[in-house]
Amino acid sequence: MSGTIVIGTQWGDEGKGKYIDILAENADVIVRFSGGNNAGHTIVHNGEKFALHLLPSGILRRNTTCVIANGVVVDPAVLLMELDRLASRHVEPATLVISDRAHVIMPWHRELDVLQEKSRGANGLGTTKRGIGPAYSDKAERSGIRMCDLMEPDTFRSRVLAALEIKNPIIEKVYGGKPIAAEEVIAEYLGYAERIRPMVKDVHALIHEALEAGKKVLFEGAQATFLDIDFGTYPYVTSSNPIAGGVCTGAGVGPRQIGEVLGVLKAYTSRVGEGPFPTELRNAIGDTIRELGHEYGTTTGRPRRCGWLDAAMLRYASRVNGLTGLCMNHLDTIGKLPEIKLCTGYTLDGDPISHYPASLKVLARCVPVFETFSSWSDVDISATRRFEDLPEAARAYVTRIEEVVGVPVRYLGVGAEREQTILR
Ligand code: GDP
Ligand code: IMO
Ligand code: MG
């Protein structure tokens, strides 16, 4: 079978979009299987930057079919805005199809995301406020609205009226917000429905026919392992399963239909939003990484927290996802520091710990163990295209990461452009 999964191994923003764009050159179908427009995937081609939130990162490759599968939560306004933006930049996008089983993000989801964050006060999660958590909550609660419902005006109307009977009292009485007018929502969304209708299909058949025909199918992860609702640093996570297993439920394929599972990472670690971060550098080095790596959120513009690469996280990510290869970005960025540290594991009360703790209190007591590496700040590697041509110090850093994580590094990023990639 020819399915390849590309997922994040850290807290997101590892450069997944870049690899999907690269691999899409030789792929037939690109599938987003989880999350929504909380994602921000950057593609840089010929100096032009594209930030995609909901559209799969194969959208710039006309040879592909891009799929938004059932596991994604879709904000129709964002979907149309992204398509319009590409059109205004004269991009002829790939064919796009959307699962009729995907859930729709409604205005009350966005409103509740904002109100819930506000009510958490100092304990806020730092969500993207795109309505992601409330949309997945409704899906699990079985009160959600799916794409197939949006396509049937009568069904849609009755689902909106039923939802607002519950949501408006919550918005008003629990959170002190303003009620949402049903008729306005219905008119707005039925307008979107007419534009979206030609794209809405049973995509399950399309994915399976491609896999059965031996075509290359890429599953594009959004978010990352440590933002996973089951395996991440709960509750500082997103509300879906962005790990490799999420492909099975989020796109309706079995594990045997997957060949490669590529884990994307940066040569350091970043996190946007709240939550634990054992190797965080709350100092001048962290600030330098942020500036050198342009670490500001693609979706919300927030400064990203930065720290050393954490191989304890990567080993856990390797197991949780069954990684077959690593794609490591920002080797150019990390090499500009005077020296580099790699966290090879944690100790807990003085002893090495072999698992990743579930309890945030225990995690807070974990102490990272570091190895120090020379950097290569005197050499610009952004034009290097072969591993053998990298400075010895860069090769030593990469080789040690492979050793500690136990997964081979297949791709190395030495810049944001499509071409600035080393294939091993
Ligand atoms: P994603 O959400 O995983 O797709 O990642 P983002 O697009 O949010 O963040 C990755 C950022 O790093 C983007 O600004 C990319 O253009 C940039 N980037 C990716 N790979 C490299 C690399 O190897 N070197 C440098 N300097 N920038 C990179
Ligand atoms: P990509 O695909 C980085 C973070 C948010 C917040 C938490 C919950 O670009 O890697 P949510 O809005 O999902 O309920 O927010 O998850 N988050 C991301 N951080 N990259 C992302 O996506 C993220 N998507 C969500 O900052 O901490
Ligand atoms: Mg991102």
Side-chain angles (χ1 to χ4, degrees):
M1 281 294 173
S2 43
T4 297
I5 302 177
V6 177
I7 47 102
T9 58
Q10 299 165 315
W11 279 293
D13 304 325
E14 298 91 349
K16 300 173 289 292
K18 185 178 86 166
Y19 284 104
I20 291 290
D21 172 60
I22 291 168
L23 296 169
E25 186 178 7
N26 298 311
D28 302 285
V29 182
I30 323 292
V31 186
R32 273 273 317 255
F33 61 90
S34 70
N37 59 307
N38 46 349
H41 296 179
T42 317
I43 297 169
V44 187
H45 181 47
N46 290 337
E48 249 201 283
K49 191 168 165 177
F50 296 87
L52 302 167
H53 300 282
L54 182 57
L55 296 177
S57 300
I59 201 79
L60 304 185
R61 303 280 198 175
R62 279 180 60 199
N63 58 309
T64 65
T65 298
C66 285
V67 176
I68 295 178
N70 59 284
V72 177
V73 285
V74 180
D75 188 326
V78 174
L79 178 86
L80 294 171
M81 186 185 66
E82 283 200 11
L83 286 170
D84 289 345
R85 267 196 204 152
L86 287 182
S88 73
R89 293 173 74 175
H90 307 290
V91 173
E92 248 192 82
T95 307
L96 177 68
V97 289
I98 304 162
S99 170
D100 50 5
R101 290 182 162 83
H103 279 246
V104 182
I105 297 181
M106 300 300 299
W108 51 88
H109 295 139
R110 289 191 301 266
E111 184 66 16
L112 284 167
D113 200 352
V114 172
L115 293 169
Q116 287 167 352
E117 265 297 271
K118 208 168 140 195
S119 80
R120 289 182 192 116
N123 299 320
L125 306 176
T127 77
T128 60
K129 300 187 178 144
R130 301 299 191 260
I132 306 296
Y136 279 114
S137 300
D138 280 359
K139 176 178 177 174
E141 200 205 48
R142 292 155 294 182
S143 62
I145 298 179
R146 294 179 300 164
M147 272 293 162
C148 57
D149 304 322
L150 178 60
M151 294 303 118
E152 297 172 4
D154 291 346
T155 310
F156 182 70
R157 163 176 286 276
S158 64
R159 303 285 289 178
V160 170
L161 294 176
L164 280 176
E165 251 177 63
I166 310 288
K167 300 297 177 190
N168 270 339
I170 296 176
I171 290 172
E172 280 188 275
K173 295 187 182 135
V174 178
Y175 296 108
K178 280 200 194 123
I180 289 170
E183 289 307 325
E184 280 174 28
V185 172
I186 293 167
E188 180 190 341
Y189 273 64
L190 289 181
Y192 301 144
E194 285 326 297
R195 279 191 67 192
I196 293 172
R197 187 177 300 283
M199 297 176 246
V200 177
K201 304 224 159 70
D202 178 344
V203 303
H204 177 253
L206 185 154
I207 294 171
H208 280 272
E209 280 160 20
L211 285 167
E212 282 154 19
K215 292 187 174 172
K216 271 214 171 309
V217 181
L218 284 179
F219 296 94
E220 174 177 359
Q223 289 77 55
T225 306
F226 284 82
L227 290 173
D228 185 273
I229 191 158
D230 286 280
F231 291 97
T233 44
Y234 193 91
Y236 298 96
V237 293
T238 192
S239 298
S240 67
N241 285 116
I243 56 168
V247 170
C248 295
T249 52
V253 298
R256 287 172 58 214
Q257 290 160 314
I258 303 301
E260 296 275 346
V261 185
L262 298 175
V264 188
L265 62 140
K266 282 193 275 218
Y268 47 90
T269 310
S270 76
R271 172 163 210 167
V272 60
E274 301 307 317
F277 183 170
T279 63
E280 182 170 16
L281 291 161
R282 292 184 190 216
N283 57 23
I285 307 173
D287 295 343
T288 306
I289 297 177
R290 183 177 314 108
E291 294 316 311
L292 290 172
H294 308 290
E295 292 295 351
Y296 292 88
T298 314
T299 299
T300 55
R302 289 176 289 177
R304 292 174 183 155
R305 299 155 61 192
C306 296
W308 298 119
L309 183 60
D310 183 340
M313 288 174 69
L314 297 175
R315 275 199 299 270
Y316 178 76
S318 164
R319 281 184 165 170
V320 165
N321 296 293
L323 298 182
T324 59
L326 299 175
C327 308
M328 185 162 99
N329 287 321
H330 284 274
L331 193 64
D332 53 321
T333 307
I334 199 79
K336 290 176 187 152
L337 297 178
E339 65 172 22
I340 303 166
K341 286 187 198 284
L342 168 68
C343 163
T344 55
Y346 304 153
T347 58
L348 179 64
D349 304 331
D351 293 320
I353 176 168
S354 61
H355 67 283
Y356 208 90
S359 156
L360 298 192
K361 280 194 181 138
V362 175
L363 184 57
R365 280 178 23 230
C366 286
V367 179
V369 177
F370 289 106
E371 285 178 16
T372 305
F373 293 78
S374 312
S375 69
W376 47 96
S377 50
D378 49 339
V379 191
D380 177 3
I381 61 166
S382 61
T384 305
R385 295 293 174 268
R386 295 188 334 154
F387 187 70
E388 301 73 49
D389 297 337
L390 284 171
E392 197 185 332
R395 282 184 279 133
Y397 183 55
V398 174
T399 307
R400 184 65 184 137
I401 292 163
E402 287 183 313
E403 246 171 45
V404 177
V405 183
V407 181
V409 174
R410 296 274 179 73
Y411 293 88
L412 283 163
V414 292
E417 285 274 349
R418 232 181 228 176
E419 287 72 25
Q420 289 179 302
T421 307
I422 296 174
L423 170 63
R424 288 182 79 199

